[in-house]
Coordinates of all heavy atoms in Angstrom, one line a residue:
M184 N -6.8 -24.0 -15.1 CA -5.4 -23.6 -15.1 C -5.1 -22.7 -13.9 O -4.0 -22.6 -13.4 CB -5.1 -22.8 -16.4 CG -3.7 -22.4 -16.4 SD -3.2 -22.3 -18.2 CE -1.5 -22.0 -17.9
G185 N -6.1 -22.0 -13.3 CA -5.9 -21.2 -12.1 C -5.5 -19.8 -12.4 O -5.3 -19.4 -13.5
L186 N -5.4 -19.0 -11.3 CA -5.0 -17.6 -11.4 C -3.6 -17.5 -11.7 O -2.7 -18.2 -11.2 CB -5.3 -17.0 -10.0 CG -4.9 -15.5 -9.9 CD1 -5.7 -14.6 -10.8 CD2 -5.0 -15.1 -8.4
Q187 N -3.3 -16.6 -12.6 CA -1.9 -16.2 -13.0 C -1.7 -14.8 -12.7 O -2.3 -13.9 -13.4 CB -1.6 -16.5 -14.5 CG -1.7 -18.0 -14.8 CD -1.4 -18.2 -16.3 OE1 -1.2 -17.3 -17.1 NE2 -1.5 -19.5 -16.7
V188 N -0.9 -14.5 -11.7 CA -0.6 -13.1 -11.3 C 0.6 -12.6 -12.1 O 1.6 -13.3 -12.2 CB -0.4 -13.0 -9.8 CG1 -0.1 -11.5 -9.4 CG2 -1.6 -13.5 -9.1
G189 N 0.5 -11.4 -12.7 CA 1.6 -10.8 -13.4 C 2.1 -9.6 -12.7 O 1.3 -8.9 -11.9
F190 N 3.3 -9.2 -12.9 CA 3.9 -8.1 -12.2 C 4.6 -7.3 -13.3 O 5.3 -7.8 -14.1 CB 5.0 -8.5 -11.2 CG 4.4 -9.4 -10.1 CD1 4.4 -10.8 -10.2 CD2 3.8 -8.8 -9.0 CE1 3.9 -11.6 -9.2 CE2 3.2 -9.6 -8.0 CZ 3.3 -11.0 -8.1
D191 N 4.5 -5.9 -13.2 CA 5.2 -5.0 -14.1 C 6.1 -4.2 -13.3 O 5.9 -3.9 -12.1 CB 4.2 -4.1 -14.8 CG 3.3 -4.8 -15.9 OD1 3.5 -5.9 -16.2 OD2 2.4 -4.1 -16.3
Y192 N 7.3 -3.9 -13.9 CA 8.3 -3.2 -13.2 C 8.8 -2.0 -14.1 O 8.7 -2.1 -15.3 CB 9.5 -4.1 -12.9 CG 9.2 -5.2 -12.0 CD1 8.7 -6.4 -12.6 CD2 9.3 -5.1 -10.7 CE1 8.4 -7.5 -11.8 CE2 9.0 -6.2 -9.8 CZ 8.5 -7.4 -10.4 OH 8.2 -8.4 -9.6
N193 N 9.3 -0.9 -13.5 CA 9.8 0.2 -14.2 C 11.2 -0.1 -14.7 O 11.8 -1.1 -14.3 CB 9.6 1.5 -13.5 CG 10.5 1.6 -12.2 OD1 11.4 0.8 -12.0 ND2 10.1 2.6 -11.4
Y194 N 11.8 0.9 -15.3 CA 13.2 0.7 -15.8 C 14.3 0.6 -14.7 O 15.4 0.3 -15.0 CB 13.6 1.7 -16.9 CG 13.4 3.2 -16.4 CD1 14.4 3.8 -15.9 CD2 12.2 3.8 -16.6 CE1 14.3 5.1 -15.5 CE2 12.0 5.1 -16.2 CZ 13.1 5.8 -15.6 OH 13.0 7.1 -15.2
H195 N 13.9 1.0 -13.5 CA 14.8 0.9 -12.3 C 14.6 -0.4 -11.6 O 15.3 -0.7 -10.7 CB 14.6 2.0 -11.3 CG 14.9 3.4 -11.9 ND1 16.1 3.8 -12.2 CD2 14.1 4.4 -12.2 CE1 16.1 5.0 -12.7 NE2 14.9 5.4 -12.6
G196 N 13.6 -1.2 -12.1 CA 13.4 -2.5 -11.4 C 12.4 -2.5 -10.3 O 12.3 -3.5 -9.6
Y197 N 11.7 -1.4 -10.1 CA 10.7 -1.3 -9.0 C 9.3 -1.7 -9.5 O 8.9 -1.4 -10.6 CB 10.7 0.1 -8.4 CG 12.0 0.5 -7.8 CD1 12.8 1.5 -8.4 CD2 12.5 -0.2 -6.7 CE1 14.0 1.9 -7.8 CE2 13.7 0.2 -6.2 CZ 14.4 1.2 -6.7 OH 15.7 1.6 -6.2
L198 N 8.6 -2.3 -8.6 CA 7.2 -2.8 -8.9 C 6.3 -1.6 -9.3 O 6.3 -0.6 -8.6 CB 6.6 -3.5 -7.8 CG 5.2 -4.0 -7.9 CD1 5.2 -5.2 -8.9 CD2 4.7 -4.5 -6.6
T199 N 5.6 -1.7 -10.4 CA 4.6 -0.7 -10.8 C 3.2 -1.2 -10.8 O 2.3 -0.4 -10.7 CB 5.0 -0.1 -12.2 OG1 5.0 -1.1 -13.2 CG2 6.3 0.6 -12.1
K200 N 3.0 -2.5 -11.0 CA 1.7 -3.0 -11.2 C 1.6 -4.5 -10.8 O 2.5 -5.3 -11.1 CB 1.3 -2.9 -12.7 CG -0.2 -3.1 -12.9 CD -0.5 -3.0 -14.4 CE -0.3 -1.6 -14.9 NZ -0.7 -1.4 -16.3
E201 N 0.5 -4.9 -10.1 CA 0.2 -6.3 -9.9 C -1.1 -6.5 -10.6 O -2.1 -5.8 -10.4 CB 0.1 -6.5 -8.4 CG 1.3 -6.3 -7.6 CD 1.1 -6.3 -6.1 OE1 0.0 -6.5 -5.7 OE2 2.1 -6.0 -5.4
K202 N -1.2 -7.5 -11.4 CA -2.4 -7.7 -12.2 C -2.7 -9.2 -12.5 O -1.8 -10.1 -12.3 CB -2.2 -7.0 -13.6 CG -1.0 -7.6 -14.4 CD -0.8 -6.8 -15.7 CE 0.4 -7.4 -16.4 NZ 0.7 -6.7 -17.6
N203 N -3.9 -9.5 -13.0 CA -4.2 -10.8 -13.5 C -3.6 -10.9 -14.8 O -4.0 -10.2 -15.8 CB -5.8 -10.9 -13.5 CG -6.2 -12.3 -13.9 OD1 -5.7 -12.9 -14.9 ND2 -7.2 -12.8 -13.2
A204 N -2.7 -11.8 -15.0 CA -2.0 -12.0 -16.3 C -2.9 -12.4 -17.4 O -2.7 -12.2 -18.6 CB -0.8 -12.9 -16.2
A205 N -4.0 -13.1 -17.1 CA -4.9 -13.6 -18.1 C -5.8 -12.5 -18.7 O -6.0 -12.5 -19.9 CB -5.8 -14.8 -17.6
N206 N -6.3 -11.6 -17.9 CA -7.2 -10.6 -18.4 C -6.8 -9.2 -18.2 O -7.5 -8.2 -18.4 CB -8.6 -10.8 -17.8 CG -8.7 -10.7 -16.3 OD1 -7.8 -10.1 -15.7 ND2 -9.8 -11.1 -15.7
N207 N -5.6 -9.0 -17.6 CA -5.0 -7.7 -17.3 C -5.8 -6.8 -16.3 O -5.6 -5.6 -16.2 CB -4.8 -6.8 -18.6 CG -3.6 -7.3 -19.4 OD1 -2.6 -7.8 -18.8 ND2 -3.7 -7.3 -20.7
Y208 N -6.7 -7.5 -15.5 CA -7.3 -6.8 -14.4 C -6.2 -6.3 -13.4 O -5.4 -7.1 -13.0 CB -8.3 -7.7 -13.7 CG -9.1 -7.0 -12.6 CD1 -10.2 -6.3 -12.8 CD2 -8.6 -7.1 -11.3 CE1 -10.9 -5.7 -11.8 CE2 -9.3 -6.5 -10.2 CZ -10.4 -5.8 -10.5 OH -11.1 -5.2 -9.4
V209 N -6.2 -5.0 -13.1 CA -5.1 -4.5 -12.2 C -5.6 -4.6 -10.7 O -6.6 -3.9 -10.4 CB -4.8 -3.1 -12.6 CG1 -3.7 -2.5 -11.7 CG2 -4.3 -3.0 -14.1
Y210 N -4.8 -5.3 -10.0 CA -5.1 -5.4 -8.5 C -4.5 -4.2 -7.8 O -5.1 -3.6 -6.9 CB -4.5 -6.6 -7.9 CG -5.0 -7.9 -8.5 CD1 -4.2 -8.8 -9.2 CD2 -6.4 -8.2 -8.4 CE1 -4.7 -10.0 -9.7 CE2 -6.9 -9.4 -8.9 CZ -6.1 -10.2 -9.6 OH -6.6 -11.4 -10.1
R211 N -3.3 -3.8 -8.2 CA -2.6 -2.6 -7.6 C -1.7 -1.9 -8.6 O -0.9 -2.6 -9.3 CB -1.8 -3.0 -6.4 CG -1.1 -1.8 -5.8 CD -0.6 -2.1 -4.4 NE 0.5 -3.0 -4.4 CZ 1.4 -3.1 -3.4 NH1 1.2 -2.4 -2.3 NH2 2.4 -4.0 -3.5
Q212 N -1.9 -0.6 -8.8 CA -1.0 0.2 -9.6 C -0.3 1.2 -8.7 O -0.9 2.0 -8.0 CB -1.9 1.0 -10.6 CG -1.1 2.1 -11.4 CD -0.3 1.5 -12.5 OE1 -0.8 0.6 -13.3 NE2 0.9 1.9 -12.7
V213 N 1.0 1.1 -8.6 CA 1.8 1.9 -7.7 C 1.9 3.3 -8.3 O 2.2 3.5 -9.5 CB 3.2 1.4 -7.5 CG1 4.1 2.3 -6.7 CG2 3.1 0.0 -6.9
T214 N 1.5 4.4 -7.5 CA 1.5 5.7 -8.0 C 2.6 6.6 -7.4 O 2.9 7.7 -7.9 CB 0.1 6.4 -7.9 OG1 -0.3 6.3 -6.5 CG2 -0.9 5.7 -8.7
A215 N 3.1 6.2 -6.2 CA 4.2 7.0 -5.6 C 5.0 6.1 -4.6 O 4.4 5.1 -4.0 CB 3.6 8.1 -4.8
M216 N 6.3 6.4 -4.5 CA 7.2 5.7 -3.5 C 8.0 6.8 -2.8 O 8.2 7.9 -3.3 CB 8.1 4.8 -4.3 CG 7.3 3.7 -5.0 SD 8.4 2.7 -6.1 CE 9.3 1.7 -4.9
D217 N 8.5 6.5 -1.6 CA 9.3 7.4 -0.9 C 10.8 7.2 -1.2 O 11.1 6.3 -2.0 CB 9.0 7.4 0.6 CG 9.3 6.1 1.3 OD1 10.0 5.2 0.7 OD2 8.9 5.9 2.5
A218 N 11.6 7.9 -0.4 CA 13.1 7.8 -0.7 C 13.6 6.4 -0.4 O 14.7 6.0 -0.9 CB 13.8 8.8 0.2
R219 N 12.9 5.6 0.5 CA 13.3 4.2 0.8 C 12.7 3.2 -0.2 O 12.8 2.0 0.0 CB 12.8 3.8 2.2 CG 13.5 4.5 3.3 CD 12.9 4.1 4.6 NE 13.5 4.7 5.7 CZ 14.4 4.1 6.5 NH1 14.8 2.9 6.3 NH2 15.0 4.8 7.5
N220 N 12.0 3.7 -1.2 CA 11.3 2.9 -2.2 C 10.2 2.1 -1.6 O 9.8 1.1 -2.1 CB 12.3 2.0 -3.0 CG 13.3 2.9 -3.7 OD1 12.9 3.8 -4.4 ND2 14.6 2.5 -3.6
L221 N 9.6 2.6 -0.5 CA 8.4 2.0 0.0 C 7.2 2.7 -0.7 O 7.2 3.9 -1.0 CB 8.3 2.3 1.5 CG 9.4 1.8 2.4 CD1 9.4 2.3 3.8 CD2 9.4 0.2 2.4
I222 N 6.2 1.8 -1.0 CA 5.0 2.3 -1.7 C 4.2 3.2 -0.8 O 3.7 2.8 0.3 CB 4.2 1.1 -2.2 CG1 5.0 0.3 -3.2 CG2 2.9 1.6 -2.9 CD1 4.4 -1.0 -3.6
T223 N 4.0 4.5 -1.2 CA 3.2 5.4 -0.4 C 1.9 5.7 -1.0 O 1.0 6.2 -0.3 CB 4.0 6.7 -0.2 OG1 4.3 7.3 -1.5 CG2 5.3 6.5 0.6
S224 N 1.6 5.4 -2.2 CA 0.4 5.6 -2.8 C 0.1 4.6 -4.0 O 1.1 4.3 -4.7 CB 0.3 7.0 -3.4 OG -0.9 7.3 -4.0
S225 N -1.1 4.1 -4.1 CA -1.4 3.2 -5.1 C -2.9 3.2 -5.4 O -3.7 3.7 -4.6 CB -1.0 1.8 -4.8 OG -1.5 1.3 -3.6
R226 N -3.3 2.8 -6.6 CA -4.7 2.6 -6.9 C -5.0 1.1 -6.9 O -4.2 0.3 -7.4 CB -5.0 3.1 -8.3 CG -5.0 4.6 -8.4 CD -5.5 5.2 -9.7 NE -4.7 4.7 -10.8 CZ -3.7 5.4 -11.4 NH1 -3.4 6.6 -10.9 NH2 -3.1 4.9 -12.4
L227 N -6.1 0.7 -6.3 CA -6.5 -0.7 -6.1 C -7.7 -1.1 -6.9 O -8.5 -0.2 -7.3 CB -6.7 -1.0 -4.7 CG -5.7 -0.6 -3.6 CD1 -6.2 -0.9 -2.2 CD2 -4.4 -1.4 -3.9
T228 N -7.9 -2.3 -7.2 CA -9.1 -2.9 -7.8 C -9.5 -2.1 -9.1 O -10.5 -1.6 -9.3 CB -10.3 -2.9 -6.9 OG1 -10.6 -1.6 -6.4 CG2 -10.1 -3.8 -5.7
N229 N -8.5 -2.1 -10.0 CA -8.7 -1.5 -11.3 C -9.0 0.0 -11.2 O -9.7 0.6 -12.0 CB -9.7 -2.2 -12.1 CG -9.2 -2.7 -13.5 OD1 -8.0 -2.7 -13.7 ND2 -10.1 -3.1 -14.3
G230 N -8.4 0.7 -10.2 CA -8.6 2.1 -10.0 C -9.8 2.5 -9.2 O -10.0 3.7 -9.0
L231 N -10.6 1.6 -8.7 CA -11.7 1.9 -7.9 C -11.4 2.5 -6.5 O -12.1 3.4 -6.0 CB -12.6 0.6 -7.7 CG -13.9 0.8 -7.0 CD1 -14.9 1.6 -7.7 CD2 -14.5 -0.6 -6.7
L232 N -10.3 2.0 -5.9 CA -9.9 2.5 -4.6 C -8.5 3.1 -4.6 O -7.7 2.8 -5.5 CB -9.9 1.3 -3.6 CG -11.2 0.5 -3.4 CD1 -10.9 -0.7 -2.6 CD2 -12.3 1.4 -2.8
T233 N -8.2 4.0 -3.7 CA -6.9 4.5 -3.5 C -6.4 4.1 -2.2 O -7.1 4.1 -1.2 CB -6.8 6.1 -3.7 OG1 -7.7 6.6 -2.7 CG2 -7.2 6.5 -5.1
E234 N -5.1 3.9 -2.1 CA -4.4 3.5 -0.9 C -3.2 4.4 -0.6 O -2.4 4.6 -1.5 CB -3.9 2.0 -1.0 CG -3.2 1.5 0.2 CD -2.7 0.1 0.0 OE1 -1.7 -0.1 -0.8 OE2 -3.3 -0.8 0.5
T235 N -3.2 5.0 0.6 CA -2.0 5.8 0.9 C -1.4 5.2 2.2 O -2.1 4.8 3.1 CB -2.4 7.3 1.1 OG1 -3.4 7.3 2.1 CG2 -2.9 7.9 -0.2
S236 N -0.1 5.2 2.2 CA 0.7 4.7 3.4 C 1.6 5.8 3.9 O 2.2 6.5 3.1 CB 1.5 3.5 3.0 OG 0.6 2.5 2.5
D237 N 1.9 5.8 5.2 CA 2.8 6.7 5.8 C 3.8 5.9 6.6 O 3.5 5.0 7.4 CB 2.0 7.6 6.8 CG 2.9 8.7 7.5 OD1 3.8 9.2 6.8 OD2 2.6 8.9 8.7
F238 N 5.1 6.3 6.4 CA 6.2 5.6 7.0 C 7.1 6.6 7.8 O 7.2 7.7 7.3 CB 7.1 4.9 6.0 CG 6.3 3.8 5.2 CD1 5.7 4.2 4.0 CD2 6.3 2.5 5.6 CE1 5.1 3.2 3.3 CE2 5.6 1.6 4.9 CZ 5.0 1.9 3.7
A239 N 7.6 6.2 8.9 CA 8.6 7.0 9.7 C 9.8 7.2 8.9 O 10.4 6.2 8.3 CB 8.9 6.3 11.0
Q240 N 10.3 8.4 8.7 CA 11.5 8.7 7.9 C 12.7 8.0 8.5 O 13.5 7.5 7.7 CB 11.7 10.2 7.8 CG 10.8 10.9 6.9 CD 11.1 12.4 6.8 OE1 11.6 13.0 7.7 NE2 10.9 12.9 5.6
Q241 N 12.9 8.0 9.8 CA 14.2 7.5 10.3 C 14.2 6.0 10.3 O 15.3 5.4 10.2 CB 14.4 8.0 11.8 CG 14.7 9.5 11.8 CD 15.0 9.9 13.2 OE1 14.5 9.4 14.2 NE2 15.8 11.0 13.4
T242 N 13.1 5.3 10.5 CA 13.1 3.9 10.7 C 12.5 3.1 9.5 O 12.7 1.9 9.4 CB 12.3 3.4 12.0 OG1 11.0 3.8 11.8 CG2 12.9 4.1 13.2
G243 N 11.6 3.8 8.8 CA 10.9 3.1 7.7 C 9.7 2.3 8.2 O 9.0 1.6 7.4
Q244 N 9.4 2.4 9.5 CA 8.3 1.6 10.0 C 7.0 2.3 9.6 O 6.9 3.5 9.5 CB 8.3 1.6 11.5 CG 9.4 0.7 12.1 CD 9.4 0.8 13.6 OE1 9.6 1.9 14.2 NE2 9.4 -0.3 14.3
M245 N 6.0 1.4 9.2 CA 4.7 2.0 8.8 C 4.0 2.6 10.0 O 3.9 2.1 11.0 CB 3.8 0.9 8.2 CG 2.5 1.4 7.8 SD 1.5 0.1 6.9 CE 2.2 0.2 5.3
R246 N 3.5 3.9 9.8 CA 2.8 4.6 10.8 C 1.3 4.5 10.5 O 0.5 4.6 11.4 CB 3.2 6.0 10.8 CG 4.6 6.2 11.4 CD 4.9 7.6 11.7 NE 4.9 8.5 10.5 CZ 5.5 9.6 10.4 NH1 6.2 10.1 11.4 NH2 5.4 10.3 9.3
G247 N 0.9 4.3 9.2 CA -0.5 4.2 8.9 C -0.8 3.9 7.5 O 0.1 4.1 6.6
I248 N -2.0 3.5 7.2 CA -2.4 3.2 5.9 C -3.9 3.4 5.8 O -4.6 3.1 6.7 CB -2.0 1.7 5.5 CG1 -2.3 1.4 4.0 CG2 -2.7 0.7 6.4 CD1 -1.7 0.2 3.5
E249 N -4.3 4.0 4.7 CA -5.7 4.3 4.4 C -6.2 3.8 3.1 O -5.4 4.0 2.1 CB -6.0 5.8 4.5 CG -6.0 6.4 5.9 CD -6.4 7.9 5.9 OE1 -6.5 8.5 4.8 OE2 -6.7 8.4 7.0
V250 N -7.4 3.3 3.0 CA -8.0 2.9 1.7 C -9.2 3.7 1.6 O -10.1 3.7 2.5 CB -8.2 1.4 1.6 CG1 -8.9 1.1 0.3 CG2 -6.9 0.6 1.8
K251 N -9.4 4.4 0.4 CA -10.6 5.2 0.2 C -11.2 4.9 -1.1 O -10.5 4.5 -2.1 CB -10.2 6.7 0.3 CG -9.8 7.2 1.6 CD -9.5 8.7 1.5 CE -9.2 9.3 2.9 NZ -9.0 10.7 2.9
K252 N -12.5 5.2 -1.2 CA -13.2 5.2 -2.5 C -13.7 6.6 -2.7 O -14.6 7.0 -1.9 CB -14.4 4.2 -2.5 CG -15.1 4.1 -3.8 CD -16.2 3.1 -3.8 CE -16.9 3.1 -5.1 NZ -18.0 2.1 -5.1
G253 N -13.0 7.3 -3.6 CA -13.3 8.8 -3.6 C -12.8 9.4 -2.4 O -11.7 9.2 -2.0
N254 N -13.7 10.1 -1.7 CA -13.3 10.7 -0.4 C -13.8 9.9 0.8 O -13.6 10.3 1.9 CB -13.9 12.2 -0.3 CG -13.2 13.1 -1.2 OD1 -12.1 13.0 -1.5 ND2 -14.0 14.1 -1.8
D255 N -14.5 8.8 0.5 CA -15.0 8.0 1.6 C -14.0 7.0 2.1 O -13.5 6.1 1.3 CB -16.2 7.2 1.1 CG -17.4 8.1 0.7 OD1 -17.5 9.2 1.4 OD2 -18.1 7.7 -0.2
L256 N -13.7 7.0 3.4 CA -12.7 6.1 4.0 C -13.3 4.7 4.1 O -14.5 4.5 4.6 CB -12.4 6.6 5.4 CG -11.4 5.7 6.2 CD1 -10.0 5.8 5.6 CD2 -11.3 6.1 7.7
R257 N -12.6 3.7 3.6 CA -13.1 2.3 3.6 C -12.4 1.5 4.7 O -12.9 0.6 5.3 CB -12.9 1.7 2.2 CG -13.7 2.3 1.1 CD -15.2 2.2 1.5 NE -16.0 2.9 0.6 CZ -17.0 2.3 0.0 NH1 -17.4 1.1 0.2 NH2 -17.7 3.1 -0.9
H258 N -11.1 1.8 4.9 CA -10.3 1.1 5.9 C -9.1 1.9 6.3 O -8.5 2.6 5.4 CB -9.8 -0.2 5.2 CG -9.2 -1.2 6.2 ND1 -9.9 -2.0 7.0 CD2 -7.9 -1.4 6.4 CE1 -9.0 -2.7 7.7 NE2 -7.8 -2.4 7.4
S259 N -8.7 1.8 7.5 CA -7.6 2.6 8.1 C -6.9 1.8 9.1 O -7.6 1.2 10.0 CB -8.1 3.9 8.6 OG -7.0 4.6 9.3
L260 N -5.6 1.8 9.1 CA -4.8 1.2 10.2 C -3.7 2.2 10.6 O -3.1 2.9 9.8 CB -4.0 -0.1 9.7 CG -4.8 -1.3 9.3 CD1 -4.0 -2.3 8.6 CD2 -5.5 -1.9 10.5
N261 N -3.6 2.4 11.9 CA -2.6 3.3 12.5 C -1.7 2.5 13.5 O -2.3 1.7 14.2 CB -3.3 4.5 13.2 CG -3.9 5.3 12.2 OD1 -3.3 5.9 11.3 ND2 -5.2 5.5 12.3
Y262 N -0.4 2.8 13.5 CA 0.5 2.0 14.3 C 1.3 3.0 15.2 O 1.7 4.0 14.8 CB 1.5 1.2 13.5 CG 0.8 0.2 12.5 CD1 0.6 0.6 11.2 CD2 0.4 -1.0 13.0 CE1 0.0 -0.3 10.4 CE2 -0.2 -1.9 12.1 CZ -0.4 -1.6 10.8 OH -1.0 -2.4 10.0
L263 N 1.5 2.6 16.5 CA 2.4 3.3 17.4 C 3.5 2.3 17.9 O 3.1 1.1 18.2 CB 1.7 3.9 18.6 CG 0.7 5.0 18.3 CD1 -0.1 5.4 19.5 CD2 1.4 6.2 17.7
Y264 N 4.7 2.8 18.0 CA 5.8 1.9 18.4 C 6.4 2.4 19.7 O 6.4 3.6 20.0 CB 6.9 1.9 17.3 CG 6.3 1.4 16.0 CD1 5.8 2.2 15.1 CD2 6.3 0.0 15.7 CE1 5.3 1.8 13.9 CE2 5.8 -0.5 14.5 CZ 5.3 0.4 13.6 OH 4.8 -0.1 12.4
D265 N 7.0 1.6 20.5 CA 7.7 2.0 21.7 C 9.1 2.5 21.3 O 9.5 2.5 20.2 CB 7.7 0.9 22.8 CG 8.5 -0.3 22.4 OD1 9.4 -0.3 21.5 OD2 8.3 -1.4 23.0
G266 N 9.9 2.9 22.3 CA 11.3 3.4 22.1 C 12.2 2.4 21.5 O 13.3 2.7 20.9
F267 N 11.9 1.1 21.6 CA 12.7 0.1 21.0 C 12.3 -0.3 19.6 O 12.9 -1.2 19.0 CB 12.8 -1.2 21.9 CG 13.4 -0.9 23.2 CD1 12.6 -0.8 24.3 CD2 14.7 -0.8 23.4 CE1 13.1 -0.5 25.6 CE2 15.3 -0.5 24.6 CZ 14.5 -0.4 25.7
G268 N 11.2 0.3 19.1 CA 10.7 0.0 17.7 C 9.7 -1.2 17.7 O 9.3 -1.6 16.7
N269 N 9.3 -1.6 18.9 CA 8.3 -2.7 19.0 C 6.9 -2.1 18.8 O 6.6 -1.0 19.4 CB 8.4 -3.4 20.3 CG 9.7 -4.1 20.5 OD1 10.2 -4.8 19.6 ND2 10.4 -3.9 21.6
L270 N 6.0 -2.8 18.1 CA 4.7 -2.3 18.0 C 4.0 -2.3 19.4 O 4.0 -3.2 20.1 CB 3.9 -3.3 17.1 CG 2.4 -2.9 16.8 CD1 2.4 -1.6 16.1 CD2 1.8 -4.0 16.0
H271 N 3.5 -1.1 19.7 CA 2.9 -0.8 21.0 C 1.4 -0.8 20.9 O 0.6 -1.2 21.8 CB 3.4 0.5 21.6 CG 2.8 0.9 22.9 ND1 3.0 0.2 24.0 CD2 1.9 1.9 23.2 CE1 2.4 0.8 25.0 NE2 1.7 1.8 24.5
F272 N 0.9 -0.3 19.8 CA -0.6 -0.1 19.6 C -0.9 -0.1 18.1 O -0.2 0.4 17.3 CB -1.0 1.3 20.2 CG -2.4 1.6 20.1 CD1 -3.4 1.1 20.9 CD2 -2.8 2.6 19.1 CE1 -4.7 1.4 20.8 CE2 -4.2 2.9 19.0 CZ -5.1 2.3 19.8
R273 N -2.1 -0.7 17.8 CA -2.6 -0.7 16.5 C -4.1 -0.3 16.5 O -4.8 -0.9 17.3 CB -2.5 -2.1 15.8 CG -2.9 -2.0 14.3 CD -3.0 -3.4 13.7 NE -4.2 -4.0 14.2 CZ -4.6 -5.2 13.8 NH1 -3.9 -5.9 13.0 NH2 -5.8 -5.7 14.2
E274 N -4.5 0.6 15.7 CA -5.9 1.0 15.6 C -6.4 0.7 14.3 O -5.8 1.0 13.2 CB -6.0 2.5 15.9 CG -7.3 3.1 15.7 CD -7.3 4.6 15.9 OE1 -6.5 5.3 15.2 OE2 -8.2 5.1 16.6
T275 N -7.6 0.1 14.2 CA -8.3 -0.2 13.0 C -9.6 0.5 12.9 O -10.4 0.5 13.8 CB -8.5 -1.8 12.9 OG1 -7.3 -2.4 13.1 CG2 -9.1 -2.2 11.6
K276 N -9.8 1.1 11.7 CA -11.1 1.8 11.5 C -11.7 1.3 10.1 O -10.9 1.0 9.2 CB -10.9 3.3 11.4 CG -10.5 3.9 12.6 CD -10.4 5.4 12.4 CE -9.8 6.1 13.6 NZ -9.6 7.6 13.4
H277 N -13.0 1.1 10.1 CA -13.7 0.7 8.9 C -14.7 1.8 8.5 O -15.4 2.3 9.4 CB -14.4 -0.6 9.1 CG -13.5 -1.7 9.4 ND1 -12.7 -2.4 8.5 CD2 -13.2 -2.3 10.6 CE1 -12.0 -3.3 9.1 NE2 -12.2 -3.3 10.4
G278 N -14.8 2.1 7.3 CA -15.7 3.1 6.8 C -17.0 2.5 6.4 O -17.3 1.4 6.4

């Protein structure tokens, strides 16, 4: 039958969870959103990892994202944009 992905939403209609619909394994649980309703914090892989994202207030462009297991950095992406909003630089780090 294949993978069946399920999505849960809060009473405002915003995504709160992405999961395997067959066994309820949680791929991502949203824990925080900013004023633009962009996801700024979530728990991944059934709570094993945490993901935090940073967005520019004026443009909503992603400035960075980190994935950690406890305090240990597992993956990080940082972005810089030029004056026109075009991606100028991307930095990737692995823990």
Side-chain angles (χ1 to χ4, degrees):
M184 184 151 187
L186 175 66
Q187 294 180 358
V188 179
F190 301 95
D191 290 351
Y192 299 89
N193 65 16
Y194 56 90
H195 295 294
Y197 298 114
L198 179 70
T199 59
K200 191 182 294 180
E201 298 169 4
K202 63 184 178 180
N203 182 316
N206 63 14
N207 284 325
Y208 181 88
V209 178
Y210 300 117
R211 178 166 69 163
Q212 172 78 45
V213 176
T214 56
M216 297 172 75
D217 67 10
R219 291 178 181 258
N220 299 312
L221 299 170
I222 297 170
T223 57
S224 180
S225 59
R226 289 190 301 265
L227 306 174
T228 60
N229 239 11
L231 182 65
L232 303 171
T233 57
E234 177 183 76
T235 55
S236 302
D237 181 40
F238 299 92
Q240 284 185 324
Q241 290 183 333
T242 64
Q244 289 176 306
M245 181 175 274
R246 293 191 295 202
I248 186 167
E249 287 186 344
V250 176
K251 292 183 176 182
K252 182 177 182 182
N254 290 326
D255 297 327
L256 181 67
R257 296 300 173 129
H258 187 80
S259 172
L260 294 171
N261 293 299
Y262 303 97
L263 292 175
Y264 302 90
D265 65 18
F267 296 104
N269 298 310
L270 182 64
H271 177 70
F272 178 77
R273 184 188 80 176
E274 177 185 46
T275 303
K276 295 179 184 176
H277 300 279

